[in-house]
Every structure is written in C-alpha cells, then in structure tokens.
Amino acid sequence: MLKGWCLDLINFIDKNGLLVNLSFEKNVFPEKSKHVFIITRWQDQWLLTKHKSRGLEFPGGKREDGESLEEAAKREVFEETGGIVSKLFYIGQYQVMDEVPFVKTIYFADIESIERKSDYLETEGPVLFNGEIRHVQNDSAFSFIMKDEVVKQAIDYLFDKSVVKTNQE
C-alpha cells in the first residue's frame, strides 16, 4: 500500500510484465529507495553507458552501505561513464512490484567533464546520444530499462520544469 494520497502516481506494466508505480514526489512508497537511476547530459547530449548485456542505458545502481542516494548517484555516474556531476536534480521515484518490491530514485545530472578510465565495471563506458531519447522503444541497441514509461515521463518532467532545454527534443 502507498503512504498517504498521491494524485500524481503513474502506473504501467514494464517490459518484464511487472507493475511499475512512478511518482514525482518524495517518500511516497513504503519501501525505502536503495537504487538510483540517473538521467545524464553533457554538452547538450544525453550521456549513456553501454551495459555489457543489456545495451545502452542511463547510469544507475544500488546504494552502498553508509552512502546517501545523492552520493550513490554521483558514484554510479562516474563508475559507469567517467562523468563528473556538476549539478544533481531530484526527479522522482518509482516502485517495481517484483516478488520483493523495490524503489529506485530518479535524478538528473549535469556533467561538467568526462574522465577516461581503464575500467567501467559492468559497462563499456560512456556513449553520447543526440537523438530523441523518448523514442527508442524499437531500437535493439537500447536496454529494456530505456523502453518503458519511466524514461519518457522523467524526460517530459525535465522539459516541463525547464531543467533541460528543448533544443534536442
């Protein structure tokens, strides 16, 4: 069950057949967020990473013990892309109703620079994308994570709040 009343809750079924609840408010779900998903931009381009098995996606991962969600977001961006975060903006959270439900916190990050690294852990490093990121559902190069409503709704939210300018819509 959800805490309180949330008029802005968006529900959909993801590519794995699981119910997802998305909110642009904080602390709506009973589970504490232990994961981060970071929509990243560098020099007016989307900064993605190429996951070794899933394909192109925004960086993200699990919060480590003793780490805040903001610290986890910055660390994941650096680990997976070499990106140095200059600004971090809270977008929302989404709950995935798996066997054990979990919550991810969504951030937007402006990247000030990208450092070349010898190891990007489970990814192949940074990939810059200039296209319309909300319309990649039929592109097999992109991860399933990029093909559900979370990315589309979060990008729409960023444009609506003028966090991201519409020059690349």
Side-chain angles (χ1 to χ4, degrees), residues 38-74:
I38 310 97
I39 296 172
T40 46
R41 295 268 289 176
W42 182 66
Q43 297 183 348
D44 293 326
Q45 298 173 82
W46 301 110
L47 174 61
L48 306 172
T49 189
K50 186 174 181 188
H51 189 277
K52 290 178 181 175
S53 62
R54 292 189 300 254
L56 297 172
E57 61 189 27
F58 286 116
K62 292 182 181 177
R63 180 181 57 82
E64 294 179 355
D65 288 340
E67 187 176 51
S68 71
L69 289 168
E70 293 82 4
E71 291 166 336
K74 291 176 183 179

Side-chain angles (χ1 to χ4, degrees), residues 88-107:
L88 196 63
F89 177 84
Y90 176 87
I91 297 174
Q93 294 184 324
Y94 65 99
Q95 176 191 52
V96 180
M97 299 304 290
D98 207 343
E99 288 180 26
V100 175
F102 63 92
V103 175
K104 286 189 182 186
T105 299
I106 313 163
Y107 290 99

Side-chain angles (χ1 to χ4, degrees), residues 12-20 96-97 102 144 148-149:
F12 62 91
I13 303 297
D14 72 7
K15 297 293 180 184
N16 294 320
L18 300 172
L19 174 64
V20 177
V96 180
M97 299 304 290
F102 63 92
F144 74 92
D148 66 30
E149 282 294 307

Side-chain angles (χ1 to χ4, degrees), residues 7 25 32 37 40-41 61 68 73 79 89 97 105 114 122 125 128 152 159 161:
L7 293 176
E25 297 177 25
K32 291 222 181 269
F37 181 74
T40 46
R41 295 268 289 176
S68 71
E79 284 179 357
F89 177 84
M97 299 304 290
T105 299
I114 299 174
E122 70 272 10
L128 295 172
K152 181 187 178 311
F159 285 133
K161 298 292 183 187

Side-chain angles (χ1 to χ4, degrees), residues 42 47 77-85 111-120 124-127:
W42 182 66
L47 174 61
V77 169
F78 182 74
E79 284 179 357
E80 296 182 5
T81 69
I84 306 297
V85 174
I111 305 302
E112 69 181 43
S113 62
I114 299 174
E115 292 184 9
R116 185 178 286 298
K117 297 172 40 173
S118 61
D119 182 18
Y120 296 94
E124 295 176 8
V127 176

